[in-house]
Amino acid sequence: MATTALTGFSMMSLLSLGYLTWDLMSPNQVENEPDQTFVNRSPIPQPPHIIFIMTDDQGFNDIGYHGSDIRTPVLDKLAADGVKLENYYIQPICTPSRSQLITGRYQIHTGLQHSIIRPRQPNCLPFDQVTLPQRLQELGYSTHMVGKWHLGFYKKECLPTRRGFNTYFGSLTGSVNYYTYNSCDGPALCGFDLHEGESVAWGQMGKYSTHLYTQRVRKILATHDPQSQPLFIFLSFQAVHTPLQSPREYIYPYRGLGNVARRKYAAMVSAVDEAVRNITYALRKYGYYQNSIIIFSTDNGGQPLSGGSNWPLRGRKGTYWEGGVRGLGFVHSPLLRKKRRVSKALVHITDWYPTLVGLAGGNESLTEGVDGYNVWEAISDGKESPRLEILHNIDPLYNHAHSGSLQNGYGIWNTAIQASIRVGDWKLLTGDPGYGDWIPPQMLPGFPGDWWNLERHTAPWKSLWLFNISGDPYERFDLSEQRPDVVKELLARLVYYNRTAVPVRYPSEDPRSNPLLNGGAWVPWVGDEEEDSWFRVYQKKNKDWKKRLSKSRSFFWRLNKRIMSNRI
């Protein structure tokens, strides 16, 4: 590794992060790993080994090559030698991004268009969907998943090992403690959540998850023969999702950051950077690298309240502004035809399904009906992307915008409904897209109040926006009033997509899911023979509840306004 990429670290910091110990045992290394030298076998076998690495809640400004204060020399080097995807889109929260990666379909076509799958919900990835790992198994791959699942587990049929993965090691819920693997759905409902296959992995408690998951990937690489069978590994890191936890040695290089949350968050990103280094080392060591494709992607935008940064993009995790849906992504592979470049080709997370099936040797019949496109030629050869538009989502259950109406949508679309679509250069948002400020890197918990005064969004009573994203990637100039012709066209596209939508699957929470009733762990609690009831959408109990909620929101809105006014 070139030392010039590590400017700003002291020698002690470099050693503490492991960047100068390539051939020494690191915290991520597998114990008793076979001692082999780097292998470069030829001829290159086909199809390629695929390593898909996903981070959780890593923001657009949380990687070195975007000018971040967080140092990621390994990710920077891999991206620089590969193809950086700078027009790449994901979903604003966890479950939707993973479901779209695994199925190649928009949320409206799987019933997962509202929120996430909560631990107590009898819900999971629909059984009628043929998953990406299932297709790869059909094409001869050995498939493995390590890390965060978050696609439901109420039945055993929902588990990763029943949805196409030969092996699974990780957590089933959305957020766990990085050491104890305790996961809580509310203050008093907690359980253990680390699983080996379909069993609870009690014995692994106390090990930092980023290290533990990396060890498992290295073990898979060490024990598999790269010449006998192609390999697909989906490494879904828990990092850098809250809680903000990391070993102390990763925090030390960021001791100069005055913001505590940002300091801890940066340490977690550095731990991921080191983990990726150790995985790429193993790919070389065991003879995979020359015929491998490494894909790096985050699952959604960063959360500034927890140390993340999407600057200079607008919005944050959980919103349909660019800060919530524009993702970090790159591809690194010796198989790329045109390397060391930045791609502006339009790519969406659903595109990985047909792209990887195509690389594995599958024909188009295996991806019939998916919403993704095979974008390999756009990535590898620099050709135009076959994708011309992206449906970010239509969520009929999200809180309707008070100022929205069918009249505001020209009689075409009810703008009270949360929805967003991009067609060509144009992006349309309706309803309530979520928190819409631009948040500078220092505008994080613990900084002086006058930082809040840098950027403020002051037009809350809207329900329709239009932006030319190519010319205005930071969404500062709303053109909805100047270009009603474009607005009408995009509203018509929303109507088109909405006609293809399936009913929302968002069932009520099931008290039988309580870990106290299941040995202290989050595990499947419904028998496979029991009939599903996905049609039961969680309903507000009564109108009085709705009135109380409205009053509560009004109170906290006024309170927040007073607090913000005082700070400014």
Side-chain angles (χ1 to χ4, degrees):
M1 180 187 300
T3 56
T4 54
L6 304 173
T7 304
F9 275 113
S10 66
M11 184 65 71
M12 183 63 69
S13 300
L14 294 172
L15 288 172
S16 71
L17 287 177
Y19 291 132
L20 297 184
T21 57
W22 283 80
D23 44 357
L24 300 177
M25 179 74 78
S26 76
N28 306 56
Q29 196 163 347
V30 181
E31 294 181 8
N32 302 320
E33 205 172 60
D35 183 18
Q36 299 182 19
T37 56
F38 287 97
V39 181
N40 183 7
R41 297 186 176 97
S42 58
I44 296 175
Q46 295 294 333
H49 305 291
I50 302 167
I51 315 297
F52 196 107
I53 302 172
M54 176 175 279
T55 55
D56 199 333
D57 290 6
Q58 187 175 0
F60 187 79
N61 190 41
D62 296 331
I63 196 164
Y65 64 77
H66 280 170
S68 177
D69 55 351
I70 300 177
R71 305 171 184 99
T72 55
V74 176
L75 296 176
D76 294 349
K77 185 67 166 63
L78 290 174
D81 290 341
V83 177
K84 298 175 184 175
L85 304 179
E86 293 297 338
N87 203 7
Y88 173 54
Y89 287 86
I90 48 180
Q91 293 307 112
I93 46 179
C94 312
T95 297
S97 283
R98 285 167 175 76
S99 72
Q100 295 195 19
L101 168 68
I102 294 295
T103 68
R105 295 177 185 268
Y106 291 140
Q107 295 158 257
I108 63 165
H109 295 147
T110 59
L112 299 175
Q113 55 266 59
H114 180 64
S115 190
I116 59 174
I117 296 177
R118 306 208 66 84
R120 288 180 278 173
Q121 284 182 310
N123 194 7
C124 73
L125 199 66
F127 298 127
D128 61 351
Q129 298 294 318
V130 180
T131 68
L132 172 60
Q134 286 172 332
R135 285 298 188 210
L136 293 177
Q137 281 183 335
E138 294 172 7
L139 294 168
Y141 273 72
S142 176
T143 60
H144 307 267
M145 180 176 176
V146 179
K148 175 177 172 178
W149 175 239
H150 208 187
L151 288 174
F153 59 92
Y154 78 106
K155 286 184 175 183
K156 284 189 176 180
E157 290 303 311
C158 301
L159 298 176
T161 48
R162 308 288 181 99
R163 305 312 301 268
F165 290 103
N166 296 120
T167 68
Y168 173 68
F169 180 64
S171 297
L172 299 174
T173 63
S175 176
V176 303
N177 184 287
Y178 282 73
Y179 293 96
T180 67
Y181 299 95
N182 198 45
S183 175
C184 297
D185 189 28
L189 233 151
C190 301
F192 185 77
D193 183 19
L194 185 63
H195 299 261
E196 175 80 65
E198 298 181 9
S199 302
V200 182
W202 296 102
Q204 301 291 351
M205 190 184 305
K207 301 175 182 177
Y208 187 59
S209 76
T210 301
H211 292 168
L212 190 63
Y213 293 161
T214 306
Q215 288 174 3
R216 175 52 57 93
V217 171
R218 292 182 64 119
K219 183 177 181 180
I220 293 169
L221 294 173
T223 56
H224 182 83
D225 179 6
Q227 299 300 312
S228 66
Q229 187 180 20
L231 193 66
F232 172 61
I233 297 177
F234 176 30
L235 172 56
S236 178
F237 279 118
Q238 173 191 351
V240 288
H241 195 289
T242 55
L244 299 179
Q245 297 172 311
S246 77
R248 188 172 298 176
E249 61 267 25
Y250 297 96
I251 298 177
Y252 182 79
Y254 298 103
R255 63 194 181 280
L257 289 180
N259 181 278
V260 175
R262 183 69 171 169
R263 190 188 313 157
K264 292 179 179 179
Y265 180 93
M268 295 164 71
V269 175
S270 287
V272 168
D273 193 64
E274 179 193 75
V276 174
R277 183 210 69 183
N278 287 331
I279 291 167
T280 54
Y281 174 87
L283 288 171
R284 293 177 182 272
K285 182 176 183 180
Y286 300 120
Y288 297 87
Y289 179 75
Q290 291 300 325
N291 189 40
S292 69
I293 296 172
I294 302 170
I295 301 168
F296 181 88
S297 170
T298 186
D299 67 340
N300 47 247
Q303 174 53 274
L305 298 175
S306 302
S309 175
N310 304 303
W311 181 259
L313 301 180
R314 182 178 187 175
R316 64 189 184 195
K317 171 186 177 178
T319 76
Y320 287 94
W321 305 107
E322 291 292 283
V325 298
R326 187 167 164 189
L328 293 176
F330 66 79
V331 177
H332 177 94
S333 172
L335 306 179
L336 290 166
R337 295 190 179 185
K338 293 184 178 180
K339 308 175 187 177
R340 300 179 180 86
R341 64 185 185 85
V342 174
S343 171
K344 294 296 181 70
L346 188 61
V347 178
H348 186 249
I349 194 166
T350 56
D351 297 333
W352 295 121
Y353 187 113
T355 300
L356 298 184
V357 169
L359 286 168
N363 57 44
E364 291 185 1
S365 66
L366 296 180
T367 59
E368 186 176 351
V370 303
D371 295 306
Y373 294 83
N374 187 332
V375 293
W376 182 248
E377 289 188 350
I379 294 171
S380 178
D381 299 341
K383 294 184 179 180
E384 291 290 322
S385 173
R387 176 175 287 281
L388 301 177
E389 63 183 39
I390 295 172
L391 175 69
H392 292 303
N393 196 25
I394 300 171
D395 185 350
L397 298 190
Y398 193 79
N399 299 328
H400 285 197
H402 296 299
S403 57
S405 67
L406 184 62
Q407 181 180 357
N408 287 349
Y410 298 96
I412 301 171
W413 178 261
N414 185 352
T415 62
I417 298 172
Q418 186 191 63
S420 181
I421 188 171
R422 174 171 172 177
V423 178
D425 296 330
W426 297 99
K427 177 181 177 182
L428 181 82
L429 302 100
T430 69
D432 179 4
Y435 184 84
D437 274 359
W438 299 265
I439 307 173
Q442 279 85 353
M443 192 171 148
L444 298 163
F447 269 89
D450 55 6
W451 280 101
W452 287 88
N453 158 13
L454 289 180
E455 299 280 0
R456 292 296 298 159
H457 178 47
T458 56
W461 303 113
K462 284 179 61 66
S463 63
L464 188 147
W465 296 260
L466 177 71
F467 300 98
N468 184 322
I469 287 299
S470 298
D472 177 25
Y474 312 136
E475 298 170 297
R476 292 183 178 271
F477 305 104
D478 177 14
L479 301 176
S480 58
E481 294 184 2
Q482 291 94 318
R483 296 299 304 270
D485 56 324
V486 177
V487 169
K488 292 175 184 177
E489 289 184 17
L490 270 59
L491 290 175
R493 292 302 292 167
L494 286 178
V495 172
Y496 163 79
Y497 277 112
N498 199 45
R499 287 173 179 160
T500 70
V502 301
V504 179
R505 311 157 81 101
Y506 199 73
S508 302
E509 294 169 343
D510 189 339
R512 296 176 296 171
S513 62
N514 191 331
L516 295 177
L517 304 176
N518 298 287
W522 292 106
V523 295
W525 68 89
V526 174
D528 290 335
E529 71 286 350
E530 188 171 327
E531 187 177 348
D532 294 316
S533 55
W534 280 314
F535 62 88
R536 289 183 293 130
V537 175
Y538 181 77
Q539 300 289 339
K540 275 80 174 176
K541 293 182 179 178
N542 53 52
K543 293 182 180 179
D544 291 336
W545 183 93
K546 196 169 184 179
K547 290 178 181 177
R548 290 197 301 272
L549 177 64
S550 178
K551 290 180 180 179
S552 175
R553 284 178 178 158
S554 178
F555 168 76
F556 283 108
W557 183 83
R558 292 194 304 271
L559 177 63
N560 182 61
K561 185 177 180 181
R562 289 199 302 271
I563 292 172
M564 292 305 304
S565 297
N566 291 336
R567 297 194 69 174
I568 291 174

